[in-house]
Amino acid sequence: MEENKGIRLNKYISDAGHCSRREADRWIEEGRVYIDGRKGSLGDRVLPGMKVTIQGERVKAQSKNVYIVLNKPVGIVCTTDKREPMNVVDFVDHDRRIYPIGRLDKDSEGLLLMTSDGDIVNRILRAAGKHEKEYQVTVDKPITTEFLQKMASGVKILGTTTLPCQIKKTGEKAFTIILTQGLNRQIRRMCETLGYRVKTLKRVRIMNIHLGNLKLGQWRNLTPFEMKELMRRLDNREEE
């Protein structure tokens, strides 16, 4: 895009770390966004020197996006809503405006990606049915061969049958599972359908991003190598 044509308003807001482009579109439609004192509209472009505000708050473009991995503890909620006292944004307390990519339910822990880049949020969520997410799970009773087979082939939950997945027993009451789906509380619902109750659930990988030795409650920036490989995989998915 040529600089003299400016940046689309929704991208400008997204790049500043306020929200995703989709949410920016909603804010614009609701009349909450202004450019130089006039109400913004979908398709508007922001030129150098223009002032963009959301409900009176100045939106400042950021020069570099933030991409982090958080080892989310149980009890932290994946929301940007400040009315939730245990929201993940306040928990991380980053000096940039960031938000989670996808969700990890309140009762679960482990790897959560967060960013100020609305573009990559949309790209990852669009590929939600194609990329791998790996979890370590413990349940309330011994795991049987029948349980493993049924989990791997698909379980009826939420009016549908889950996609085939990879699962491996790692202990009498423990297993790892790799999903390419993201249904609400999917693993817990699958286990409940088969008569098991999840005791602990930890996400340890999303695509090429691994939790590794990151301590519970701590976060780190993605490495350049992780970012390069992540973008390569997203590009390949979008070409399929």
Side-chain angles (χ1 to χ4, degrees):
M1 182 187 299
E2 296 177 15
E3 285 189 12
N4 61 2
K5 292 184 178 180
I7 302 172
R8 287 183 66 91
L9 181 56
N10 61 354
K11 178 173 170 55
Y12 184 89
I13 294 170
S14 172
D15 287 352
H18 279 257
C19 60
S20 67
R21 282 199 198 185
R22 184 179 301 174
E23 190 171 4
D25 284 339
R26 180 169 60 81
W27 289 357
I28 295 166
E29 289 176 334
E30 291 174 355
R32 298 162 62 183
V33 180
Y34 284 75
I35 304 176
D36 287 343
R38 68 167 179 82
K39 190 177 292 185
S41 60
L42 296 175
D44 278 350
R45 292 183 177 273
V46 182
L47 296 170
M50 285 184 169
K51 179 182 178 182
V52 178
T53 59
I54 300 175
Q55 294 183 317
E57 179 185 351
R58 179 77 180 267
V59 177
K60 296 182 179 180
Q62 301 287 354
S63 59
K64 186 177 181 181
N65 280 310
V66 172
Y67 307 91
I68 72 169
V69 175
L70 168 69
N71 189 348
K72 185 192 88 69
V74 170
I76 300 301
V77 183
C78 294
T79 181
T80 59
D81 190 343
K82 297 289 188 173
R83 293 172 295 183
E84 166 55 60
M86 300 301 288
N87 75 82
V88 69
V89 175
D90 284 346
F91 176 78
V92 173
D93 193 27
H94 201 281
D95 59 5
R96 289 282 299 276
R97 189 186 294 266
I98 60 173
Y99 35 90
I101 303 177
R103 298 181 62 84
L104 185 61
D105 71 62
K106 182 178 180 179
D107 298 324
S108 301
E109 66 179 71
L111 193 158
L112 179 69
L113 297 177
M114 299 187 71
T115 185
S116 60
D117 182 356
D119 282 345
I120 201 169
V121 172
N122 291 332
R123 294 183 68 188
I124 289 177
L125 294 183
R126 279 200 303 268
K130 300 178 181 179
H131 64 247
E132 291 185 347
K133 291 173 287 186
E134 183 174 351
Y135 302 81
Q136 295 175 349
V137 187
T138 62
V139 290
D140 61 340
K141 59 185 181 181
I143 293 168
T144 64
T145 300
E146 182 183 17
F147 170 82
L148 295 174
Q149 291 173 343
K150 288 183 176 180
M151 289 284 285
S153 60
V155 179
K156 290 185 178 181
I157 61 170
L158 300 173
T160 188
T161 300
T162 59
L163 295 176
C165 64
Q166 302 175 53
I167 185 170
K168 179 181 180 182
K169 184 176 179 179
T170 56
E172 184 184 25
K173 301 178 182 180
F175 63 90
T176 60
I177 186 168
I178 300 174
L179 303 180
T180 54
Q181 237 176 333
L183 300 178
N184 181 254
R185 298 174 71 86
Q186 180 172 341
I187 297 171
R188 295 179 188 276
R189 293 180 189 274
M190 291 171 72
C191 290
E192 288 169 5
T193 297
L194 300 178
Y196 287 73
R197 181 175 62 85
V198 170
K199 296 184 69 176
T200 65
L201 194 156
K202 180 179 182 179
R203 185 159 64 195
V204 295
R205 178 172 65 89
I206 296 177
M207 290 194 283
N208 64 300
I209 313 299
H210 293 259
L211 188 63
N213 297 321
L214 187 64
K215 293 182 180 179
L216 189 65
Q218 293 190 348
W219 60 268
R220 65 170 176 82
N221 293 309
L222 265 66
T223 67
F225 177 79
E226 287 174 326
M227 278 302 306
K228 182 178 180 180
E229 176 62 16
L230 177 63
M231 298 306 294
R232 186 191 69 80
R233 294 189 184 201
L234 289 174
D235 289 342
N236 288 343
R237 290 302 186 188
E238 290 172 355
E239 291 173 1
E240 292 177 357

